[in-house]
Structures are given as structure tokens and as C-alpha cells.
């Protein structure tokens, strides 16, 4: 901003844009003494009071770029500057300054706020006002933050707050679906004019991070209406798949149905893409970024980096046209996929990744060898998976070989065909690499598993054996920070995937920590320090908490038993 002002020698509008709560007013406050400043352009009516510059520059803050408003008067040059999201480090310092210092709560604020100052502040205030279990506190905080955002949006959302939350819950919403959800037909146009809503291939979508917060708020506030809305949305998108003529459109519909049907972390893979990212073929000048992202993939999964680079490098070099990068606004690669069409020329290259399951490639289709995105790049993640889905739909079939518990959980959750585990550990990380395939060319173009997802799944069954359950919970807690081990837990069906199981167990520990019963809170402190925070061994923690050995292990076992009740609450008893 200062550089633009220093260089401006003619009438120009420097347009500071950003969503509600992004800190525009704070930036303007630092500039106000040096240059004319206009704050708070929120709608068409606000433009009436805007005086265009006659001599030098003027700085104008608005929630959307000025030229996007119908009332904007052309003829003056506009230079846009975005007040982007704050880095996680700064949001973390803000949370700590507002008294949210517990690691679990702080991480929750970071995840939900997405770099937005208003959301971060509102979440922190709400957490102080919502004592009790951490999961409930975060849900209630999301609801309070959603209400505060709607208050700040003012006339933009007056009377359509419920519709805004519904669109966030279903992901993408056209006017017909909005009517099915019980909203008046005129609401669609009002939503379209809202500054936190963006147009999408399937209708309208709420921009992140507001979508995540609104989604969690509606789920907490009206769970039945929330689930009903998602069921209607899944049916709506699935019904329209056969009518779509392009592979990209069919892929979009499938992604919309998956987002409405799935739960937990696998659902987030298909979130609407509401931030400026794009997918393009990799170029020669992307080579260093491709290598960097391959290393990110290997290190994140605990793989042998050299072996991974050698194997995946062979695929990248053999089929360079199958390498795509997801780029940010500046065209910097932040995500990567490597694929190959399945035919005789490529099967030989893929043999190390398919081994005894090479027959899976005989039906043709698309092989996915790699999909990776940078940390905290949710838009890149969604764009990557939507691109892969559309490409696989175009090829009529998908084949993949993956050691990733995250991706394995996705494939097994939706019910694609599993061919089995590879005989040899190709990546050197000790993780089981599995081969999967799925046909997309069936009758009507709707895969059977997509129809099955719309049916309620039965609660998982666990043996009615307290000793067995206690052992399994200990093992899962030991693997809490190792997704590859957690993916092998017999408790996995309770949550659906390793990340969700980790969240379930972590939430259970936090619930004990916040208990008003002294012995339960003590058990929570033991479980938290030993399993979650990894502070040290049993003897060290017992001394730290000033507990005798007998009392320490009695509380530890009590905590494990209480965690077992949390797990059992999500199951149905096994029949004899």
C-alpha cells in the first residue's frame, strides 16, 4: 500500500479488498493521516458517498472489488490490493493474547479462523464463555462466531441468515436445491450479492473460512435440519450426474455428492474451491517445485525419501503429460498430482507400484500415482481431488496404489474395490501400500458406491470384551501421533479414518480434563501428559503430578475405562 501511494502521481483509486473481519480498517487507520481514506464500502448504496479522486490517490476499502458493484462509475483507474488472511503464527499469538493457551483449543481456533481476525477473536471470546467439554466448547464457539459474522455483515444477510448457513452445510447450492431446502426463490439472488458468497460450477458456495464455521454452527444448533439438508443435496447432485455431458461437469456433480454424503476429514477433500487456485499441466520450469512436493509427500508419510523420489520420478519422467500442479494466485505450485493412462506402454513403468496386482491395470483407465498439497492449503487440496475425479471420470476408470492412511480411508469409506496389499514395501516407510480400482462407465454414469453413500450406515460392531477394548484403546493412544499405525487400529470403524479416530480420542481426553469430578480430571491430566503431549514416562509424570505409583496407575486405568465408554457410545453390541 505504501509503495503504491509513493508511486502514485495521478488520480487513482487504491482499492483495499477483503472479506468481513480481515483487518482492512486496521490497515486504513495507519494510512489515514497521510492520504484520503474511505472505509466500509459494503453494498451498492455505499458507493453513493464515494468521492472520486480529483488530484492524487484515494484509498477505498471494500468487501468486494469496486468494479464488481453495479453502481461503480467507470473512468477512474483502480488498483486492487488484497487484505489476505493472517499467518497462523499471528493468529496463534492473537489467541494466546486473548487467553486461549491450551494447545487443543488454540489449534481449534487456528483451524476454524483460517486467518480471519474477526473469526479468531469471536472464537476466543466464545471459548471463555463456554465451559465444559472441548468438543462442545468449539461447536458453541463456532455458533457464536457465526452469529457475530452475520451481525457484522448487517444488511447483506438480514433475513437470509439461515439460508447462508444451509449453503455452507451443503457446499454448493443452486436455486432449485435452495427451494428444496425450504427457502424462498428470491433468496438465491440475495445470497449471490453477499460478499462471503461466491459463484460456483454448481451454484453458490460460501467462501472459506466462513463456510467451515457456518457448517459447524448449523450442525451444532439444528442437527436434524443439518443432516436433512445434506441428504437432499447429495440426492440432488447424484440425480443430475447422468444429465451432465462433460467429464468435468460429471466430476463436479460427483464431488458435490461426496461432500454432502461424507463425514470427517475425508469430506474436506471435496470441499468447494472458493479461493483463487488453478490446476494446470506442469512445465519445465516447475521441476524444482515438483521435486519439492514429492519430498513433502514422502516426509509427511514417513517414507524413505530417496526411494520415493526414485520410484515417483520414474513415473513423472515416463508420463510428463500426466503431471499437473495446483497453483496459487501468483502461479506458484502448492499441490501436485502424477497420473498415467493405463495401456501397454505405461504398465511396465507402473509394475513396481502394482506388483502382484498388475492385472488391475488390464481394464484401462487412469492410474493415480501421487497426490500431495502443502500444509494448510485447503483450497489446493480440494482443487486437486476434484481435478483427479474429473480426469478419472473422463477415462472411465480409476486405479491407484497408495500407502497413505488418509487416501486408503477415503477409498475404503466410499466402497471402491480393493485389490489388496503389495507384497513388497516399495516406499520404505513400513506402511502397507494398497491397490484400488473403480469403474465410472456404468449404466447411467452413477457409480453404485455413490448411491450407497446416501443410505445411513450401521453403527460399527466391537466385541463386548472390556479387557480387549482397554488394550485396543491403549494401542490407539500409543499411535496417536503416528497415522500409519493408527490406520491399523481395530477401533478405526468407530471413527471412519485415522484423523477422525485421533480427534475422537483427543476429545475424550479433553472431556476428562474439564470434568468437575476431581478423580476424572486427574485421569485426564495423566492421559493428556502421557499420550497427547508426550511429556515423559509414567514415573516422571507421577512425580510431576505428586501422585503415588498406585494412585497414578489407578487413575490411568480409570481414564482408559472412561474413554472406552466414549468409544462404545458410537457402536452397537455384537450379537452372539
Amino acid at each position: 500500500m505504501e509503495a503504491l501511494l509513493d508511486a502514485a502521481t495521478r488520480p487513482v483509486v487504491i482499492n483495499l479488498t477483503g472479506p468481513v473481519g480481515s483487518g482492512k480498517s486496521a490497515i486504513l487507520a495507519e494510512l489515514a493521516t497521510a492520504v484520503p481514506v474511505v472505509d466500509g464500502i459494503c453494498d451498492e448504496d455505499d458507493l453513493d458517498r464515494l468521492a472520486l479522486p480529483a488530484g492524487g490517490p484515494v484509498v477505498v476499502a471494500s468487501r468486494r472489488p469496486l468494479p464488481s458493484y453495479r453502481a461503480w462509475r467507470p473512468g477512474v483507474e483502480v488498483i486492487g490490493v488484497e487484505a489476505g488472511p493472517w499467518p497462523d503464527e499471528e493468529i496463534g499469538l492473537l489467541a494466546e493474547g486473548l487467553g486461549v493457551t491450551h494447545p487443543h483449543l488454540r489449534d481449534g481456533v487456528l483451524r476454524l479462523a483460517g486467518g480471519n481476525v474477526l473469526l479468531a477473536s469471536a472464537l476466543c471470546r466464545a471459548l471463555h464463555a463456554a465451559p465444559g467439554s472441548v468438543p462442545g466448547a468449539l461447536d458453541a464457539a463456532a455458533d457464536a462466531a457465526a452469529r457475530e459474522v452475520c451481525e457484522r455483515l448487517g444488511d447483506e444477510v438480514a433475513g437470509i441468515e439461515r439460508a447462508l448457513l444451509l449453503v455452507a452445510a451443503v457446499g454448493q447450492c443452486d436455486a432449485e436445491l435452495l427451494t428444496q431446502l425450504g427457502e424462498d426463490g428470491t433468496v438465491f439472488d440475495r445470497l449471490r450479492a453477499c460478499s462471503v458468497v461466491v459463484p460456483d460450477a454448481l451454484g453458490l458456495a460460501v467462501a472459506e473460512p466462513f463456510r467451515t464455521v457456518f457448517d459447524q454452527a448449523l450442525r451444532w444448533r439444528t442437527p436434524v435440519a443439518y443432516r436433512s439438508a445434506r441428504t437432499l443435496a447429495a440426492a440432488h447432485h447424484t440425480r443430475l450426474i447422468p444429465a451432465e455431458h462433460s467429464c468435468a461437469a460429471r466430476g463436479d456433480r460427483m464431488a458435490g455428492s461426496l461432500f454432502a454424503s461424507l463425514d470427517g476429514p475425508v469430506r474436506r477433500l471435496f470441499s468447494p474451491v472458493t479461493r483463487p487456485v488453478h490446476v494446470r499441466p506442469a512445465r519445465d520450469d516447475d521441476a524444482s517445485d515438483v521435486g519439492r512436493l514429492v519430498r513433502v509427500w514422502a516426509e509427511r508419510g514417513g517414507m524413505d525419501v530417496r526411494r520415493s523420489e526414485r520410484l515417483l520420478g520414474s513415473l513423472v519422467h515416463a508420463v510428463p503429460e500426466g503431471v499437473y500442479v495446483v497453483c496459487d494466485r501468483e502461479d506458484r505450485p502448492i499441490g501436485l498430482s502424477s497420473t498415467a493412462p493405463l495401456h501397454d506402454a505405461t504398465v511396465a513403468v507402473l509394475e513396481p507400484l502394482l506388483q502382484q496386482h498388475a492385472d488391475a491395470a488390464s481394464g484401462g483407465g487412469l492410474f493415480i500415482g501421487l497426490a500431495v498439497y502443502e500444509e494448510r492449503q485447503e483450497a489446493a487440496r480440494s482443487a486437486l481431488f476434484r481435478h483427479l475425479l474429473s480426469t478419472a471420470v473422463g477415462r472411465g476408470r480409476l486405479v491407484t496404489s497408495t500407502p497413505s492412511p488418509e487416501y486408503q480411508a477415503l477409498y475404503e469409506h466410499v466402497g471402491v474395490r480393493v485389490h489388496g496389499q503389495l507384497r513388497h514395501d516399495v516406499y520404505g516407510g513400513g506402511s502397507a501400500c494398497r491397490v484400488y480400482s473403480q469403474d465410472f462407465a456404468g449404466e447411467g454414469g452413477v457409480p453404485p458406491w455413490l448411491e450407497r453413500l446416501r443410505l445411513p450406515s450401521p453403527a460399527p460392531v466391537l466385541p463386548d470384551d472390556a479387557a480387549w477394548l482397554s488394550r485396543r484403546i491403549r494401542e490407539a493412544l500409543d499411535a496417536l501421533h503416528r497415522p500409519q499405525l493408527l490406520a491399523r487400529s481395530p477401533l478405526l470403524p468407530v471413527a471412519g479414518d485415522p484423523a477422525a479416530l485421533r480427534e475422537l480420542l483427543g476429545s475424550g481426553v479433553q472431556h476428562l480434563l474439564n470434568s468437575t469430578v476431581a478423580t476424572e480430571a486427574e485421569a485426564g491430566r495423566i492421559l493428556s501428559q502421557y499420550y497427547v503431549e508426550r511429556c515423559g514416562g509414567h514415573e516422571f509424570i507421577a512425580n510431576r503430578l505428586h501422585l503415588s505409583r498406585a494412585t497414578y496407575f489407578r487413575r490411568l486405568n480409570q481414564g482408559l475405562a472412561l474413554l472406552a465408554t466414549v468409544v462404545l457410545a458410537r457402536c452397537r453390541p455384537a450379537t452372539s
Side-chain angles (χ1 to χ4, degrees):
M1 293 284 292
E2 290 172 342
L4 286 171
L5 289 170
D6 290 341
T9 58
R10 61 193 184 283
V12 63
V13 172
I14 299 176
N15 184 198
L16 177 63
T17 63
V20 60
S22 56
K24 300 185 297 298
S25 297
I27 295 172
L28 295 188
E30 297 188 27
L31 300 170
T33 57
V35 67
V37 172
V38 179
D39 193 9
I41 301 296
C42 302
D43 54 36
E44 303 286 343
D45 293 337
D46 289 332
L47 288 176
D48 292 338
R49 62 184 175 86
L50 178 60
L52 296 179
V58 63
V59 178
V60 180
S62 58
R63 293 174 180 172
R64 291 189 284 116
L66 290 174
S68 71
Y69 291 97
R70 290 195 306 272
W72 173 247
R73 305 180 297 279
V76 177
E77 181 183 2
V78 177
I79 301 175
V81 179
E82 183 182 4
W86 284 25
D88 282 349
E89 294 78 12
E90 293 189 25
I91 294 292
L93 290 173
L94 173 66
E96 291 169 6
L98 292 172
V100 176
T101 56
H102 191 282
H104 187 85
L105 292 175
R106 181 181 177 276
D107 288 347
V109 170
L110 290 178
R111 176 179 60 83
L112 289 170
N116 185 274
V117 184
L118 170 63
L119 283 176
S121 303
L123 288 164
C124 291
R125 286 192 294 272
L127 285 172
H128 285 299
S133 67
V134 170
L138 284 172
D139 288 339
D143 182 65
R147 285 188 281 109
E148 190 162 332
V149 168
C150 288
E151 289 171 3
R152 283 281 296 274
L153 288 171
D155 291 341
E156 284 194 69
V157 298
I160 61 169
E161 295 93 337
R162 179 180 179 274
L164 186 65
L165 269 59
L166 283 171
V167 172
V170 302
Q172 297 146 295
C173 189
D174 54 43
E176 292 175 340
L177 177 55
L178 200 59
T179 301
Q180 293 178 47
L181 298 177
E183 294 298 321
D184 184 84
T186 61
V187 168
F188 186 83
D189 289 331
R190 288 205 57 199
L191 284 169
R192 186 174 186 172
C194 180
S195 60
V196 297
V197 174
V198 296
D200 177 88
L202 303 185
L204 300 177
V206 177
E208 297 289 2
F210 305 103
R211 193 213 61 76
T212 298
V213 173
F214 292 171
D215 177 279
Q216 191 158 335
L218 188 66
R219 183 179 58 197
W220 179 78
R221 190 187 301 182
T222 56
V224 175
Y226 173 82
R227 180 57 60 182
S228 298
R230 287 181 50 188
T231 301
L232 284 169
H236 179 74
H237 294 309
T238 303
R239 186 164 53 247
L240 289 171
I241 290 172
E244 301 289 2
H245 298 296
S246 72
C247 298
R250 289 199 298 276
D252 280 336
R253 287 289 177 196
M254 287 186 188
S257 185
L258 285 168
F259 180 76
S261 302
L262 296 171
D263 287 301
V266 293
R267 181 190 183 215
R268 295 197 288 268
L269 296 176
F270 299 100
S271 298
V273 181
T274 60
R275 282 182 172 163
V277 299
H278 58 280
V279 181
R280 61 166 174 79
R283 303 185 299 247
D284 290 343
D285 59 349
D286 295 321
S288 61
D289 284 306
V290 169
R292 173 179 59 83
L293 289 166
V294 169
R295 288 191 295 276
V296 167
W297 179 89
E299 291 169 354
R300 186 180 298 168
M303 310 300 168
D304 181 275
V305 174
R306 289 183 179 273
R307 193 182 299 186
S308 299
E309 288 177 331
R310 186 168 60 252
L311 278 168
L312 296 172
S314 299
L315 176 61
V316 167
H317 292 300
V319 195
E321 68 274 15
V323 182
Y324 281 77
V325 288
V326 187
C327 300
D328 60 15
R329 189 196 298 271
E330 286 74 36
D331 205 40
R332 183 183 73 90
I334 53 176
L336 169 71
S337 68
S338 179
T339 62
L342 289 168
H343 48 64
D344 292 343
T346 57
V347 168
V349 178
L350 302 179
E351 192 279 332
L353 303 176
L354 294 172
Q355 296 180 16
Q356 74 271 28
H357 302 295
D359 60 329
S362 61
L366 180 79
F367 178 81
I368 299 177
L370 173 68
V372 64
Y373 49 90
E374 291 181 357
E375 291 284 356
R376 303 282 186 181
Q377 292 288 352
E378 290 79 6
R381 173 193 63 204
S382 302
L384 179 68
F385 276 87
R386 284 171 175 260
H387 165 74
L388 289 172
L389 183 59
S390 295
T391 308
V393 168
R395 290 282 178 177
R397 190 164 177 266
L398 159 71
V399 177
T400 187
S401 172
T402 177
S404 165
E406 179 184 28
Y407 302 157
Q408 290 176 5
L410 168 64
Y411 296 131
E412 292 175 15
H413 187 75
V414 301
V416 304
R417 180 186 177 190
V418 56
H419 292 266
Q421 182 175 328
L422 294 186
R423 185 180 294 117
H424 304 296
D425 177 9
V426 292
Y427 294 110
S431 297
C433 198
R434 299 180 187 275
V435 176
Y436 301 86
S437 71
Q438 174 62 48
D439 290 327
F440 291 104
E443 183 179 354
V446 180
W449 50 262
L450 201 54
E451 291 283 6
R452 287 197 303 270
L453 283 177
R454 294 166 50 197
L455 302 175
S457 56
V461 178
L462 292 182
D464 189 12
D465 182 335
W468 180 91
L469 184 58
S470 179
R471 285 197 301 274
R472 300 291 87 85
I473 287 177
R474 281 179 183 268
E475 292 168 358
L477 287 169
D478 277 327
L480 205 60
H481 301 285
R482 303 175 66 187
Q484 290 80 14
L485 289 180
L486 205 57
R488 304 170 193 167
S489 170
L491 302 179
L492 200 63
V494 173
D497 60 75
L501 179 57
R502 182 178 185 271
E503 186 175 330
L504 174 66
L505 294 172
S507 296
V509 171
Q510 294 300 325
H511 180 78
L512 292 176
L513 269 172
N514 290 334
S515 175
T516 56
V517 180
T519 56
E520 291 183 359
E522 201 164 58
R525 283 194 292 273
I526 292 171
L527 294 175
S528 180
Q529 293 191 24
Y530 185 73
Y531 291 110
V532 180
E533 302 170 50
R534 305 290 191 188
C535 293
H538 290 303
E539 185 175 347
F540 173 82
I541 295 173
N543 290 333
R544 189 180 191 181
L545 297 177
H546 307 292
L547 298 174
S548 68
R549 180 181 176 83
T551 301
Y552 175 87
F553 283 104
R554 188 162 59 249
R555 296 286 183 267
L556 174 64
N557 291 329
Q558 180 186 3
L560 293 171
L562 290 168
L563 274 187
T565 63
V566 173
V567 173
L568 286 173
R570 301 178 64 146
C571 303
R572 54 191 172 96
T575 55
S576 57

